[in-house]
């Protein structure tokens, strides 16, 4: 997920993918049957959580033709979408600002999907007035999780601690709003160290686990950090994850899950220990493989 907070470290580039419209399919009742089928497969394969995707991968298409684009993803077997706050992600999601949370929820549901989670930028949630408005939007959207995408990284350990205190306040307000607050990492939290420690480890030390949970981006494996190691070391502190996989001979090249360097047979048992409720596939540099990833997840034994 992109972090649009000023003064943060550069993140991975993403490319858009053109989704073909499938207008009229929802009216046929196909998605109702599809959702039941997808639920059965996720229960059967041991994931015990719905298969989801991150909307940023399809930001250009989903902002122009949201229902058609999400319908295409639903036809692959995805059941959930994690949104990006249109108000916070001005640019790619600007066309969606016109919708209320309630209207965006209806569009999502009519596409055959549910939306339990959404990314919000640091700037739009660190002001109490703005946060209150965002909590109202989130409740209209029907969210369970409000995830802050970046913002905790700093130049000193004291500044990281201060930002974590701000996140704890955010988590307290989100909790009062009936939802769970989360924090989404990028590779920078691992690559940029303070006093020899990954900043991510400092964040886990200073964030209140009763107020702020974590959303782990599996891309951290390209920096030498495995999600499953953190799930086991910090049980119950995670609510979701972004899933990526990379070619064994080129760790910058995304590949269909199961063909890369991530040990998924180890990942999912560890995910249960970590506390994951949702997974969101995010193949940002190669959206064309999103269908193959859904197929992989449905086929897990």
């Amino acid at each position: 997920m992109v972090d649009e907070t000023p003064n943060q470290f550069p993140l991975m580039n993403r490319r858009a993918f053109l989704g073909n419209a499938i207008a009229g399919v929802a009216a046929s009742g196909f998605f109702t049957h599809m959702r039941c089928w997808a639920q059965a497969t996720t229960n059967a394969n041991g994931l015990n959580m719905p298969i989801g995707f991150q909307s940023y991968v399809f930001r250009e298409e989903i902002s122009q033709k949201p229902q058609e684009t999400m319908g295409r993803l639903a036809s692959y077997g995805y059941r959930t979408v994690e949104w990006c706050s249109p108000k916070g992600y001005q640019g790619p999601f600007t066309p969606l600002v016109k919708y209320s949370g309630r209207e965006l929820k209806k569009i999502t549901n009519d596409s055959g999907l549910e939306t339990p989670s959404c990314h919000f930028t640091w700037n739009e949630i660190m002001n109490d007035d703005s946060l209150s408005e965002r909590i109202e939007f989130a409740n209209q959207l029907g969210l369970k999780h409000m995830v802050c995408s970046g913002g905790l990284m700093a130049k000193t350990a004291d500044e990281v601690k201060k930002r974590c205190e701000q996140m704890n306040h955010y988590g307290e307000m989100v909790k009062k709003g009936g939802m769970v607050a989360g924090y989404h990492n990028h590779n920078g939290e691992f690559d940029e160290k303070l006093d020899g420690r990954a900043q991510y480890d400092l964040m886990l030390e200073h964030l209140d686990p009763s107020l702020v949970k974590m959303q782990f981006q599996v891309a951290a494996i390209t920096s030498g950090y495995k999600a499953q190691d953190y799930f086991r070391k910090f049980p119950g502190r995670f609510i979701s994850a972004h899933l990526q996989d990379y070619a064994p001979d080129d760790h910058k090249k995304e590949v269909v899950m199961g063909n890369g360097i991530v040990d998924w047979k180890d990942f999912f048992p560890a995910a249960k220990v970590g506390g994951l409720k949702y997974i969101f596939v995010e193949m940002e540099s190669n959206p064309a493989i999103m269908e193959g990833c859904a197929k992989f997840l449905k086929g897990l034994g």
Side-chain angles (χ1 to χ4, degrees), residues 176-204:
K176 289 179 179 178
M179 294 166 289
V180 177
Y183 180 77
H184 174 82
N185 67 276
H186 301 88
N187 281 48
E189 284 89 340
F190 299 96
D191 295 338
E192 301 296 329
K193 296 177 172 56
L194 294 172
D195 300 325
R197 299 180 63 191
Q199 292 201 28
Y200 193 75
D201 292 350
L202 294 175
M203 294 169 191
L204 283 167

Side-chain angles (χ1 to χ4, degrees), residues 1-4 14 53-59 62-63 70 81-90 92-94 96-97 99 104 108 115 117-121 124 134 137 141 143 145 147 149 184 215 242 282:
M1 190 54 250
V2 71
D3 172 12
E4 299 191 355
R14 293 176 166 99
F53 70 95
Q54 223 297 330
S55 62
Y56 199 93
V57 177
F58 303 95
R59 58 196 176 278
I62 211 167
S63 66
M70 286 190 290
V81 55
E82 182 179 57
W83 276 108
C84 296
S85 164
K87 186 173 182 178
Y89 287 84
Q90 288 290 295
F93 289 95
T94 299
L96 300 180
V97 172
Y99 296 116
L104 195 57
T108 302
T115 177
S117 181
C118 181
H119 273 201
F120 296 85
T121 62
E124 69 179 315
R134 294 288 81 195
F137 169 83
L141 190 54
L143 299 184
H145 302 156
V147 179
S149 179
H184 174 82
Q215 179 184 79
H242 280 199
E282 186 185 29

Side-chain angles (χ1 to χ4, degrees), residues 279-298:
I279 50 174
F280 303 104
V281 180
E282 186 185 29
M283 295 295 176
E284 58 184 84
S285 67
N286 190 4
I289 64 176
M290 292 286 288
E291 183 175 8
C293 290
K295 182 178 181 180
F296 168 79
L297 288 168
K298 290 187 292 183

